[in-house]
Each structure stands twice: as C-alpha cells, then as structure tokens.
Amino acid sequence: MSADQLYPPSTELVENANITRWMRDRGIASYDALLARAADYEWYWAEMAKELDWFQPWTRTLRWNTPFAEWFLGGKINIAYNALDRHARGPRKNKVAYIFEGEPGDVQRWTYYDLWRETNRFANALKRLGIQAGDRVTLYLPMIPQLPIAMLACAKIGAVHSVIFSGFSSTALKDRVNDAEAKLLITADGSFRRGKAVPLKANTDAALAAGTPSVRHVIVVRRTGLEVSMQSGRDLWWHDLTAAESDHCESVPLDSEAVLFTLYTSGTTGKPKGIVHVHGGYAVGVHTSLKYVFDLKETDIYWCAADIGWVTGHSYIVYAPLMLGATSVMYEGAPDWPEPDRWWRIIAREGVTILYTSPTAIRMHMKFGESWSRAHDLSTLRLLGSVGEPINPEAWRWYHAHVGGGRCPIMDTWWQTETGAFMVSPLPVTPLKPGSATRPLPGIAVDVVDQSGQRSPDGEGGFAVIRQPWPSMLRTLYKDPDRYRQTYWSRWPNLYLTGDAAMRDADGYLWFRGRADEVLNVAGHRLGTSEVESALVAHPAVAEAACIGVPHDVKGDVPKVYVTLKAGHQPSPQLADELKQWVANEIGPIARPEAIEFRDRLPKTRSGKIMRRLLKAETLGKDVGDVSTLED
Ligand code: WT7
C-alpha cells in the first residue's frame, strides 16, 4: 500500500451520513460543493448554531476585530442546558449518558436524568459555598463521573472551570491554581492507576501548603478509600456537601461570549498558557464537529478514550457527546491493566460503535500484538478516530486491520487546545489517504504558507495557518491578551499561527508533520522544551539546561536534556536519576526526561541562545547544518 492509496467511503456510509442529509436538505450535491458553499462561513456557522437551544437568538453572527472574535452576539445560551437539561426533560431522560468503568472493574451507568440531578445538587452546593458567575474553580480529578459533573455544574451557574490533568504534580497544580486565582479546588482522595491508588488529596495538600491564597474550600470525592487528612472548615466531602441539596437547579442564561473554561497548555516559554473558551461558539464548534465527522447517531455507543484533563476530553467526552444526547463509554484507568485487552473487552461487552484514540495508544497496542484484539468481538465498530499527532502509515494500517476489521474509516482529526474543535478532518464522504487528516472542514480555512506568509505551492512544506475566525476558537489567553496576540497573530498579519509544519498535496489534502517550534509532542501531549529547562535550572546543582525531543517508537517524542552543573557539583548516574525525578515532580511524570547528559558547555549563538538544533542533529546523527552563528 502506498501512503497515498485512496480509501473511498462505502456507499452505505455516505448514503446514511448526517452530513449527506444536511447537504440534501440544502440542495448541495457534492463534498466540493459543500466546501464552496461554506466559504460563506458566517452563513455556515449560523446554520450550525441553529441546531442548539438558545434562550435568546443572536442578532449578529460575528464581530471580528482581529485577532479578537465574538460570535453570536446578543445570543443567550448555556452549554450545560444543551448538554443536560433539554435531555432530562425530553425523550432521552432515561437514556444512558455514560457507561463508566473504573479500573478495578466497577461499572456505573448514568442516565441523562441521573447526571442532571447530581449536577444540579452539586451546582446548588457550589452556590451555597459562595461560587458566583465568573469565579474560577480548579478541578484536579481523575477520570470519574464527578469530573464531568463538576464541569457541568460550573457551567450551569456561569462559573469558569479550570481542569488540571490528574497526572500533573503538586507544583504544576499550585502554579495553575494561582494563575486562575481559583476560589475552590475540587479533587479526590486518590485515583486508580495500574492497580495502585495515586494520592491526589495529598498532592493537593502539598500544593496548598506551598501557597494558594485564593483557595477558600477544597471539595473531596471519595474514590479509592485512601486515608486523607481533612482540614476542618476548609475541606469538605462531596457526598456530605451534596446530600441535602435539591435536585433542581436551572441553568442560567449566559451571554454567548461568557467564559466557559480555561485550560492550560504548553507553549514556547516556561509559563503555560491559559486558553480561554466561551459558551456559545465553543458549543457550536464541538457539537457540529462530532455530529458530522463521527456521524453520531441515536444508537451509537461512542468511546473517546482520552483523558478529560486535556482538551480532547473536554470537547469530545464531556460537551459534544452530551449535547448530542449520546451514550459514551468513560474508562478510568490504564489501557493495559490488568492485561493488554482491557479496551477490547469493553468494546465487545458494550458493543461500542465508534472509537476515538491517539496514535501513541495505537502503537502501544501494536507492540502487544494483534492476538489481544483478535480474541474479542469488535464487529460492532463502524468508525475509528485518531488525534494528537500525525498517524504513521504502519499504525494506521494496523488500526484499520486489527481494530476496524478492515471496514471502518479512520477519522484523523487535526486540531489544538486553542481551536476547541476539529479543524482538518475527513467527513464520512471524504476519501481517505492514510497519514493525512485530509481537508479543512467546511467553514474552516487552514492553509500552508512559506516563511514570508505567502501560500506555499502544493507539494511544498511550510507553516500551517488559519485564515479566518471560527466559532470555537480561543478568545484570548487568560489575563494576557498581549501574549495572545503575540503568540498567534504577530508573525504574519491576519494569519493564525498554529505552530505546526504541514504540506498541502495536489488534491488539497493536508499532511501535518509535527511542531515547527520548541514544543514536543510526548504521547500526544504538548510539552514545551523551556518548561523542562526551567524546571531543571531550579535545581540547586544545575547551571544550564537544554531540552530536545528525540524520537520514541511508542510516545512519538521524548525529552532528552543536556545539563551543565554549577561549581562544586559532579556528574553521576545518581544525579542524573535525581534530575529526572525532579522534573517529574515539578511538572508531572509525562515530562520525565528519557536521558540526561552532562556537558561542560552548551553550544550557543553569539547572542547567547542555546542551539538546541545542533544538539538535536548531533544526537540523531544528522547533518548539523549552518553553524556560522555559533559562538562555541
Ligand atoms: C497539537 C495540539 C487536539 C487534541 C490533542 C492535542 C498535534 C493534534 C493531530 C493530528 C497531526 C496533530 C499538532 C497540534 N496534533 N492532532 N490529527 N495530526 N498532528 O491537543 O495538546 O493542544 O496539541 O497536537 O501538533 O498543534 P494539544
């Protein structure tokens, strides 16, 4: 199979697809005609926005004061109303919203009615604690139903949630709580991971002890039974707090531009960026993309096997599937626990029809071998998805054959925390090319440009950019509009800089090639090299650090660090281990360097910038290129 072999969609898929119906209703005859019609993107997005419930319709679709967008102006909406209330009062009341499976094997089925009532109780508890619209609430929770419930409860009352991935360390948690100035922190006693209980409350206590002056209360979910210390007056158990609350709490009508959440992501400086998303446009973006790309139907059993701690989980485990009234699987633990067939067991038992995961997870399953998936009946699957990094053709082929049984199209969805929703992805009518996320979705103008911002010719690589606003775009960086403008909109006028390298082929298909900046993609998660470096230079023995990404067969990239030591410190294997652990403690286990190499000096430019490019070329045994600006 050549990398550009075309996989046309089956006639059955095309005939029954949600997008086909949408096109028929409007007399649009082909995929190309759809893209052409959606060039009028304000029209297209307004059509899509009508599929949601608005308390009050908008009066203007878009105000674009580059680079600041406002969508659906004058509209009143609440994403939680769309995700829960309208279902709890309609025919989906007793439909299962989440099939939750805990790592120890406990299964809970939450109907829309169940989820709505618990969310209402929790929202009432938040109000009782004095949480008001606009207040920030930090959630440091594992993959348990209380995480979406807490998010939805915040949304209901107009509070802003900030979810911190539960694999992050107490230092990372503290920094993010302080940036958000969160009044409330919600956590669990612990979380199950590979048969052990991770002490989340103890991590939270460490973060609080290090100084989080804004936090007034900590709510704790009992999950593992780990013993925890509860500070009286400050710490409250979820079950005590909600026990006496009413099952009723109306979702407040909010301005469509009201902030829904912030989510921190890595950039090219040591300080993570707080990406800001809003109720209206974000709801439209994620609802549209899941409905038409994954073709979600009433009878589907859908599983996005990501973590809610990242944007994939926010958009495609919580908000989009609930707005669509879907039944989703939510799994707490490790994919290979207790054995590598854990996922395949769940798919077979629940009759999962759609699976959305990452290339890094697929490569992990590939390593275990196909005997694990072959032992289970995966014949209910009809669509597969991939996200997080470019999917290499070997992984694509394996996923297609050994998970999809050769019959399921793979939706390779390119997007970012900043974009909120899919930007480049096939629709069920799109012929696939393994390794390409295919074409920009209708209403989305992703393109490839050269150094000067001119459109790159087909077949030539360049920088991926976005030429026009879209409803689910980030609105700004939390408390830092200047950094927002600087990071995304300053390189070329009117072009959003994605940070990715890409190529557009002669058919207009896009091939993403990874980051073009100092950001690594570790197992589908973004990590700035400078974050690792600033963690290391905070260690008493370290003078300077330079981090590069080196290829890894499962994780994509892994960090490797070159370190110079301060006088009086000697390199040793023990110190290398200590530094690896230090980074894991400062940021989280995903940032743990694969290797630490001690050097007497690091190569620098005349202006004193460390030349990571040179270190990388040397490590990978590649040509070092132009070194004329090198000082040392
Ligand atoms: C970066 C965004 C979007 C949710 C998960 C990661 C890379 C993401 C793809 C894809 C090639 C991809 C890009 C992007 N990326 N999806 N299908 N093909 N690359 O979110 O942490 O914001 O990272 O992930 O490099 O810029 P994120």
Side-chain angles (χ1 to χ4, degrees):
M1 183 188 81
S2 96
D4 322 36
Q5 182 184 337
L6 270 183
Y7 283 72
S10 73
T11 322
E12 195 205 336
L13 179 69
V14 175
E15 278 303 304
N16 299 311
N18 291 340
I19 193 66
T20 304
R21 166 178 303 210
W22 195 93
M23 287 159 60
R24 268 190 208 131
D25 288 349
R26 290 163 182 80
I28 297 172
S30 68
Y31 177 41
D32 284 307
L34 168 65
L35 295 175
R37 187 77 180 79
D40 181 357
Y41 64 94
E42 289 195 36
W43 167 81
Y44 173 79
W45 288 116
E47 285 293 290
M48 289 303 181
K50 289 178 194 160
E51 298 191 11
L52 297 179
D53 280 354
W54 296 77
F55 298 115
Q56 188 180 298
W58 62 95
T59 50
R60 180 172 172 184
T61 306
L62 170 67
R63 184 187 292 146
W64 179 228
N65 182 9
T66 317
F68 297 99
E70 292 164 273
W71 283 88
F72 312 114
L73 288 93
K76 297 267 188 229
I77 192 169
N78 189 313
I79 197 168
Y81 181 90
N82 282 276
L84 288 181
D85 306 22
R86 62 174 179 168
H87 306 315
R89 295 188 179 119
R92 294 191 182 112
K93 178 177 172 188
N94 295 319
K95 183 176 176 181
V96 173
Y98 287 122
I99 302 165
F100 167 78
E101 177 159 315
E103 199 189 67
D106 50 322
V107 176
Q108 303 169 17
R109 286 170 202 274
W110 288 75
T111 65
Y112 276 90
Y113 195 44
D114 296 333
L115 202 63
W116 177 70
R117 282 179 297 183
E118 182 68 0
T119 301
N120 290 344
R121 285 189 286 268
F122 194 65
N124 287 327
L126 293 179
K127 288 198 265 188
R128 196 174 298 278
L129 290 176
I131 301 299
Q132 295 173 348
D135 285 345
R136 275 83 51 212
V137 177
T138 295
L139 313 188
Y140 182 58
L141 283 163
M143 282 284 290
I144 55 176
Q146 286 80 8
L147 176 50
I149 289 166
M151 293 163 75
L152 291 157
C154 289
K156 273 210 143 195
I157 64 170
V160 176
H161 60 71
S162 167
V163 177
I164 312 300
F165 173 55
S166 62
F168 274 130
S169 69
S170 60
T171 312
L173 173 62
K174 180 205 73 183
D175 292 344
R176 288 161 177 76
V177 166
N178 287 337
D179 188 72
E181 298 170 279
K183 270 194 194 166
L184 176 68
L185 214 161
I186 305 171
T187 188
D189 55 356
S191 76
F192 290 115
R193 196 74 189 174
R194 295 210 154 79
K196 294 201 201 86
V198 180
L200 289 184
K201 176 62 164 69
N203 288 353
T204 303
D205 291 341
L208 292 163
T212 52
S214 58
V215 175
R216 294 191 204 155
H217 290 289
V218 179
I219 300 177
V220 187
V221 180
R222 184 174 281 152
R223 169 64 188 147
T224 57
L226 265 183
E227 194 143 334
V228 297
S229 75
M230 298 289 281
Q231 184 177 308
S232 118
R234 185 194 70 185
D235 300 355
L236 307 154
W237 286 107
W238 174 298
H239 55 268
D240 291 339
L241 193 67
T242 50
E245 292 293 350
S246 148
D247 288 348
H248 295 272
C249 174
E250 291 305 321
S251 297
V252 288
L254 295 166
D255 193 287
S256 57
E257 285 292 313
V259 176
L260 171 62
F261 67 84
T262 64
L263 184 60
Y264 290 90
T265 189
S266 297
T268 51
T269 76
K271 190 174 179 289
K273 304 176 285 196
I275 306 295
V276 174
H277 283 291
V278 301
H279 276 252
Y282 175 80
V284 173
V286 300
H287 179 268
T288 303
S289 52
L290 190 63
K291 178 168 176 182
Y292 295 104
V293 170
F294 281 105
D295 196 36
L296 225 69
K297 302 278 171 45
E298 204 57 68
T299 48
D300 275 312
I301 307 287
Y302 160 82
W303 185 7
C304 168
D307 192 293
I308 296 173
W310 311 107
V311 74
T312 309
H314 281 58
S315 298
Y316 298 109
I317 300 176
V318 182
Y319 290 112
L322 294 178
M323 281 192 281
L324 287 162
T327 298
S328 298
V329 171
M330 177 177 173
Y331 170 58
E332 177 183 35
D336 55 346
W337 185 266
E339 292 208 279
D341 63 350
R342 185 65 182 265
W343 280 16
W344 319 131
R345 282 180 188 279
I346 295 173
I347 291 173
R349 192 191 67 220
E350 301 298 340
V352 171
T353 58
I354 301 172
L355 176 68
Y356 184 32
T357 184
S358 62
T360 189
I362 296 158
R363 289 193 297 264
M364 186 192 67
H365 288 299
M366 238 172 119
K367 279 205 138 183
F368 295 136
E370 56 262 28
S371 63
W372 295 99
S373 59
R374 200 187 299 132
H376 299 276
D377 177 6
L378 307 184
S379 63
T380 48
L381 287 170
R382 67 178 193 96
L383 274 176
L384 302 174
S386 172
V387 64
E389 60 182 302
I391 180 163
N392 47 308
E394 303 71 51
W396 196 100
R397 248 195 311 265
W398 191 89
Y399 193 28
H400 191 256
H402 300 295
V403 180
R407 67 178 186 275
C408 307
I410 299 175
M411 302 304 184
D412 180 356
T413 61
W414 180 92
W415 58 298
Q416 310 180 296
T417 305
E418 291 86 342
T419 70
F422 311 154
M423 295 283 107
V424 180
S425 160
L427 286 161
V429 295
T430 315
L432 307 177
K433 296 184 188 185
S436 169
T438 76
R439 300 168 69 176
L441 285 167
I444 299 294
V446 177
D447 205 353
V448 182
V449 301
D450 65 16
Q451 292 280 1
S452 63
Q454 298 302 307
R455 189 167 200 262
S456 293
D458 293 347
E460 271 175 40
F463 302 91
V465 296
I466 308 180
R467 294 188 182 278
Q468 72 204 19
W470 63 101
S472 64
M473 69 189 284
L474 77 166
R475 293 305 190 261
T476 187
L477 294 179
Y478 187 63
K479 293 197 296 197
D480 208 347
D482 290 341
R483 189 175 175 199
Y484 165 67
R485 184 194 291 277
Q486 184 62 33
T487 305
Y488 301 103
W489 299 94
S490 65
R491 181 113 171 226
W492 306 290
N494 300 312
L495 293 179
Y496 167 89
L497 181 70
T498 67
D500 276 32
M503 185 271 281
R504 179 185 354 81
D505 72 15
D507 299 325
Y509 279 48
L510 295 171
W511 299 78
F512 287 92
R513 299 197 154 143
R515 301 290 303 191
D517 54 11
E518 298 291 344
V519 175
L520 311 185
N521 190 325
V522 183
H525 302 310
R526 250 202 267 181
L527 180 67
T529 53
S530 60
E531 266 174 276
V532 176
E533 292 164 3
S534 34
L536 275 167
V537 295
H539 185 281
V542 175
E544 286 181 311
C547 176
I548 62 164
V550 294
H552 182 276
D553 57 355
V554 173
K555 296 182 191 169
D557 283 335
V558 285
K560 170 173 182 180
V561 194
Y562 295 85
V563 161
T564 64
L565 295 176
K566 287 185 185 154
H569 295 275
Q570 294 307 319
S572 70
Q574 291 76 11
L575 182 58
D577 287 343
E578 183 183 324
L579 294 178
K580 289 181 192 173
Q581 188 54 39
W582 174 271
V583 175
N585 291 345
E586 287 288 306
I587 304 173
I590 56 159
R592 178 193 295 274
E594 183 88 343
I596 301 255
E597 199 172 310
F598 296 104
R599 289 283 169 98
D600 293 333
R601 278 177 305 183
L602 296 176
K604 290 197 189 138
T605 62
R606 282 169 223 267
S607 63
K609 266 184 86 176
I610 297 172
M611 295 201 62
R612 298 187 190 85
R613 180 167 60 84
L614 197 90
L615 291 165
K616 186 156 182 168
E618 186 195 299
T619 303
L620 304 181
K622 294 216 176 105
D623 181 14
V624 295
D626 177 19
V627 291
S628 56
T629 55
L630 193 66
E631 176 229 309
D632 210 347

